[in-house]
Amino acid sequence: MNLPPIVQVENVTYSYPPAKRGGLPFAALKDVSFSVQRGEIFGLLGPNGGGKTTLFKILSTLLVPETGIVQIAGYDVRTNPHDIRHHLGVAFQFPSLDKKLTAAENLWHHGHLYGIRGAALNLRIDLMLKRVNLQDRAHDLVETLSGGMARRVELAKTLLHSPELLLLDEPSTGLDPGARRDLWEQLKALSSRDSVTVLLTTHLMEEAAACGRLALLHHGQIVALGTPDQLTAEIGGDVLTVHSQDPQTLGEEIRGRFQCPATVLDGTVRIERENGHLFIPQLVEAFPGRIQGISLGKPTLEDVFIHRTGHRLEED
């Protein structure tokens, strides 16, 4: 039996008021559509200003879309935000923990907000702290925990009321590589073991590549949607980066001579080509003395973003 998507977004737009009197509204989202299946880890990848935060606020019921439909667990964000909140666990980019309280006390107060009390609450606190491997730090003040541990307490807090959908805004912010790996082990376990759906925003390629599916956001629009492998496969072949003192002229001449796309980006010529290792000798021979260096690599999600938008993710 196929269950309906837990998240359904159809033709959503949202604009902010103009910054100056007489100016134009800023369109943060433009006709955005996607769905998320139950138990999936779904990522929203894009630069700052790409629309991720606005979409996250709509999904967490903090904003209402101007046009379009957003449904979570079958409820509409316009008409049933209260019902939706019972199905959500939300962790924003910056921690909301009280550093002067212990890990368990933070969860205890959070449980009261959801009407959980007494023995049932104590049981849930123990279970959630065990789930994130922090049962031995339950009575330690949050201010004494490492950044990775504090993030895991945040995750335990969002899971306390057994939400079906976990919304995470830039979950790896401030974490070292080891803590980031620990966090992702927890997220994958939640998805596979408990069928919790995870929807997160990120600007990190490594984090995006770990998602089951991705939507790439650029200037408020989805420019690509699919699994990481599907997205990188659309480029095919290899990506060559050619260094030259005059990349603009070199790019034009490569396009003319080999009839292949050659874009100039960050002072280098970028070429997408099957069997790139065989193409390198042809390039060097065709332009003797004008090529300072060539690097060859398989397509990444960064390459997909460049292919779709003409910009690098970080520069956008």
Side-chain angles (χ1 to χ4, degrees), residues 19-314:
K20 297 179 181 179
R21 182 176 297 178
L24 296 175
F26 170 67
L29 297 174
K30 308 169 190 175
D31 198 29
V32 170
S33 298
F34 66 93
S35 61
V36 181
Q37 302 301 318
R38 293 173 184 271
E40 189 173 20
I41 298 180
F42 188 93
L44 298 171
L45 173 66
N48 293 331
K52 302 191 309 295
T53 300
T54 300
L55 186 53
F56 188 88
K57 288 180 178 179
I58 290 174
L59 293 171
S60 57
T61 73
L62 296 178
L63 292 177
V64 175
E66 283 182 317
T67 63
I69 298 171
V70 177
Q71 291 184 334
I72 296 176
Y75 297 103
D76 191 283
V77 296
R78 281 193 178 87
T79 56
N80 301 100
H82 182 72
D83 292 312
I84 287 174
R85 289 167 194 152
H86 286 283
H87 296 268
L88 292 183
V90 183
F92 293 97
Q93 183 173 353
F94 299 103
S96 59
L97 302 174
D98 190 324
K99 294 182 179 181
K100 296 299 182 182
L101 298 179
T102 67
E105 287 169 343
N106 270 277
L107 270 62
W108 188 81
H109 285 289
H110 188 73
H112 283 188
L113 294 176
Y114 282 89
I116 312 172
R117 287 178 168 78
L121 176 56
N122 291 330
L123 186 64
R124 290 294 298 171
I125 291 172
D126 290 342
L127 179 61
M128 290 304 103
L129 289 177
K130 285 179 183 177
R131 185 160 294 178
V132 297
N133 297 321
L134 283 177
Q135 63 269 33
D136 58 335
R137 306 300 295 270
H139 303 296
D140 291 0
L141 296 178
V142 168
E143 65 182 0
T144 67
L145 303 178
S146 68
M149 288 180 179
R151 202 60 169 158
R152 280 152 58 193
V153 174
E154 189 93 29
L155 181 60
K157 190 180 80 166
T158 64
L159 293 168
L160 191 65
H161 60 290
S162 302
E164 296 176 66
L165 174 63
L166 199 59
L167 298 179
L168 306 176
D169 190 15
E170 302 280 358
S172 294
T173 296
L175 299 186
D176 60 46
R180 190 178 301 164
R181 284 193 298 272
D182 290 343
L183 174 65
W184 270 93
E185 287 178 7
Q186 298 294 334
L187 295 181
K188 289 177 179 178
L190 286 169
S191 173
S192 61
R193 179 189 62 207
D194 302 324
S195 296
V196 174
T197 306
V198 179
L199 190 155
L200 59 92
T201 70
T202 185
H203 65 279
L204 301 174
M205 295 298 165
E206 177 187 355
E207 194 162 70
C211 295
R213 281 195 308 137
L214 286 169
L216 273 60
L217 280 167
H218 173 65
H219 291 176
Q221 295 178 299
I222 291 181
V223 296
L225 179 66
T227 68
D229 287 344
Q230 287 171 340
L231 294 177
T232 53
E234 76 174 37
I235 293 179
D238 302 303
V239 177
L240 287 81
T241 303
V242 183
H243 299 266
S244 171
Q245 289 185 337
D246 187 2
Q248 199 70 46
T249 301
L250 181 63
E252 292 173 1
E253 294 182 17
I254 290 174
R255 288 191 291 271
R257 178 153 185 164
F258 295 102
Q259 285 77 53
C260 68
T263 57
V264 178
L265 196 67
D266 293 344
T268 61
V269 182
R270 183 179 174 279
I271 304 167
E272 297 170 7
R273 185 91 173 187
E274 291 282 354
N275 298 315
H277 64 290
L278 299 178
F279 187 53
I280 290 175
Q282 298 179 49
L283 275 176
V284 174
E285 185 177 339
F287 305 101
R290 296 177 58 190
I291 294 178
Q292 297 172 311
I294 301 177
S295 61
L296 173 71
K298 290 298 181 184
T300 65
L301 291 171
E302 171 85 352
D303 293 313
V304 176
F305 192 83
I306 293 170
H307 181 80
R308 290 297 185 100
T309 68
H311 299 275
R312 292 194 183 278
L313 187 68
E314 63 268 20

